[in-house]
Amino acid sequence: YEEFARHPVETFREVADFDLRMHDDGDEALSVVQIARRLTHPDLPRLLPVLARSRSPEVREAIASLWTGRPDTADAASLAALTLDPAAGVRRTAARAAAAIRSWSLLDRMASDPDPVVRREVALAIGAAAEHASAAGTTLDTLSSDGAMPVRAAAYVARLLQGTPVSLPP
């Protein structure tokens, strides 16, 4: 890993092969994700889905965060699995990644997540993607009538971010 830190592009294939064999869930995996944020390499599509299946919620969340910032590296099937992750933090981050790759169907499914904090994040992720989020209008309709006030408020904010004129909430 020291050589990788000094020469990430040249040694990435070796590190990817090592991580794929070891299924590492520790600091090494998080380091690989951090470097992958800034690296363009043909082995990324092979490595990232494996790391998305890590036993560590921190690694899975880091992958979802990576896909939020680098949607070109996202694996749709792995992201779909992260939207159903047992860890709510992973699902919240996966909502942002789903918006980044414009997967409105994933966000629509996440609108019924049992955790209101996740549903709130879905609304905010749609709002942050305002320039292309008109396809998620029905999802925002669902979230606007949610039983949790923070979710309804986030749906209201999302509509404002989209430039949709809305009346003041009650």
Side-chain angles (χ1 to χ4, degrees), residues 3-170:
E3 184 68 19
F4 179 52
R6 287 193 301 269
H7 306 286
V9 175
E10 295 83 2
T11 59
F12 187 79
R13 177 166 282 142
E14 294 169 31
V15 172
D17 288 340
F18 174 77
D19 276 356
L20 288 171
R21 282 192 313 274
M22 300 305 293
H23 299 289
D24 184 62
D25 292 327
D27 291 336
E28 291 85 2
L30 288 173
S31 295
V32 170
V33 174
Q34 290 300 320
I35 292 170
R37 289 181 189 281
R38 296 165 189 84
L39 183 70
T40 300
H41 197 281
D43 285 330
L44 279 177
R46 180 172 68 106
L47 176 63
L48 298 180
V50 172
L51 291 174
R53 293 188 301 271
S54 169
R55 289 174 287 153
S56 168
E58 291 83 10
V59 173
R60 295 190 310 269
E61 187 171 352
I63 290 293
S65 178
L66 171 102
W67 288 338
T68 300
R70 300 253 335 254
D72 59 305
T73 65
D75 176 71
S78 297
L79 179 57
L82 292 178
T83 64
L84 300 170
D85 197 90
V90 174
R91 294 194 314 274
R92 284 192 306 270
T93 307
R96 292 191 296 272
I101 69 165
R102 310 297 189 237
S103 181
W104 310 122
S105 61
L106 281 179
L107 290 166
D108 190 50
R109 186 183 73 203
M110 293 183 78
S112 61
D113 191 279
D115 187 335
V117 178
V118 172
R119 296 191 309 272
R120 177 182 169 273
E121 192 63 42
V122 168
L124 294 175
I126 292 169
E131 70 278 359
H132 298 287
S134 61
T138 57
T139 304
L140 282 180
D141 290 342
T142 300
L143 295 169
S144 294
S145 61
D146 195 275
M149 191 278 296
V151 177
R152 292 191 310 272
Y156 178 84
V157 168
R159 295 248 192 239
L160 290 176
L161 290 172
Q162 288 180 354
T164 303
V166 291
S167 60
L168 290 172

